[in-house]
Amino acid sequence: MTIDTSKIEKQVRIFHDSDSTGHDTAHIFRVLDTAKKIAFHYPCCDIDLVICAALLHDIADHKLIKEDEKTSVLEKMRHWIKNAGADDSFAEKVLFICQNISFSSRKTNAPLPLEGQIVQDADRIDAIGAIGIARAFAYGGAKGRCIYSKGSTDDTVSHFYDKLLKIKDLINTPEGKELAQNRHDFMLSFLDELYRECDV
Ligand code: ADP
Ligand code: NI
């Protein structure tokens, strides 16, 4: 089975191009790049599955589509995957990964296959470090949240404590953990500096 992932790439670019909440096309391609780097250490994994899941992981995200659109969006994704040359069982695997990568929207407790764990790591890694900081403030801005207000639980700095600083302990693979540690340390330095500048 040969899969022409460039066909899927084309659809993904169209879908994500207008996003300004941190889920833009560049996010998808960074996740793809990181997922490939991690997958390189696992010759046993299905690289086409990693690539397709990375490309499609945010298409059916509840932040980007309405709940009542979900079924038709999943069918559209299935069509793209099969149109790229994949069979039904491969398409099913991609859809399973895409629907179960995010903890908040998990449909089942069934474990993610290795390929899904790799894409999940890559997606989480893109939420931390310098790019993660930029995305958090972009997302906060898009939602009308303020940057920082001392003592507030509603500003974007709170999101670091709610989620971003917890990410490094949720990474599945040792290769992902190593990438996450540097980014985690950078976020701690960023917060130190932010408090030095703001809490006067
Ligand atoms: P993804 O869809 O890529 O798995 P999320 O949808 O959880 O990740 O978040 C996308 C980006 O938006 C991430 O960089 C995340 O940190 C940021 N984000 C999500 N929720 C918030 C929030 N409440 N405040 C600030 N940033 C947020
Ligand atoms: Ni994502």
Side-chain angles (χ1 to χ4, degrees):
M1 185 172 74
T2 314
I3 301 172
D4 181 0
T5 52
S6 71
K7 285 191 171 169
I8 298 177
E9 269 187 28
K10 208 171 141 199
Q11 299 294 344
V12 167
R13 283 182 198 280
I14 295 168
F15 182 88
H16 286 282
D17 251 5
S18 57
D19 181 274
S20 56
T21 66
H23 295 90
D24 51 8
T25 305
H27 162 65
I28 305 303
F29 283 90
R30 285 191 305 270
V31 170
L32 176 63
D33 193 54
T34 305
K36 280 184 184 165
K37 281 191 184 124
I38 298 174
F40 176 77
H41 297 274
Y42 298 89
C44 59
C45 84
D46 180 344
I47 191 68
D48 280 335
L49 185 51
V50 171
I51 293 172
C52 291
L55 284 171
L56 295 167
H57 81 273
D58 270 338
I59 300 271
D61 190 296
H62 64 97
K63 290 198 180 73
L64 304 184
I65 59 162
K66 298 189 193 81
E67 190 55 37
D68 62 1
E69 292 172 335
K70 186 134 188 178
T71 313
S72 67
V73 170
L74 288 170
E75 278 323 301
K76 187 170 70 177
M77 288 162 70
R78 188 192 305 279
H79 173 74
W80 292 346
I81 301 162
K82 291 185 71 178
N83 198 40
D87 60 21
D88 280 314
S89 123
F90 182 90
E92 211 44 59
K93 287 186 207 163
V94 178
L95 294 181
F96 176 83
I97 293 174
C98 293
Q99 290 181 88
N100 290 287
I101 272 192
S102 149
F103 272 123
S104 54
S105 57
R106 283 210 80 165
K107 291 276 164 280
T108 148
N109 285 327
L112 277 175
L114 173 62
E115 292 83 355
Q117 293 184 32
I118 290 173
V119 177
Q120 185 177 56
D121 280 0
D123 192 31
R124 287 177 172 162
I125 285 167
D126 204 58
I128 59 177
I131 191 65
I133 294 171
R135 289 180 74 214
F137 288 107
Y139 185 94
K143 297 284 166 197
R145 297 208 178 103
C146 81
I147 294 172
Y148 171 57
S149 170
K150 194 173 181 181
S152 165
T153 52
D154 231 21
D155 58 0
T156 297
V157 165
S158 301
H159 184 62
F160 285 73
Y161 299 93
D162 294 342
K163 183 169 160 191
L164 305 185
L165 292 171
K166 295 175 182 163
I167 286 182
K168 87 166 167 52
D169 294 325
L170 297 172
I171 299 287
N172 304 300
T173 63
E175 295 76 15
K177 280 198 172 91
E178 203 179 316
L179 293 169
Q181 185 66 53
N182 289 333
R183 293 180 183 223
H184 181 84
D185 295 343
F186 183 76
M187 291 194 297
L188 293 178
S189 314
F190 169 80
L191 289 170
D192 273 351
E193 177 64 15
L194 183 105
Y195 297 136
R196 251 195 305 276
E197 293 175 10
C198 300
D199 292 347
V200 284

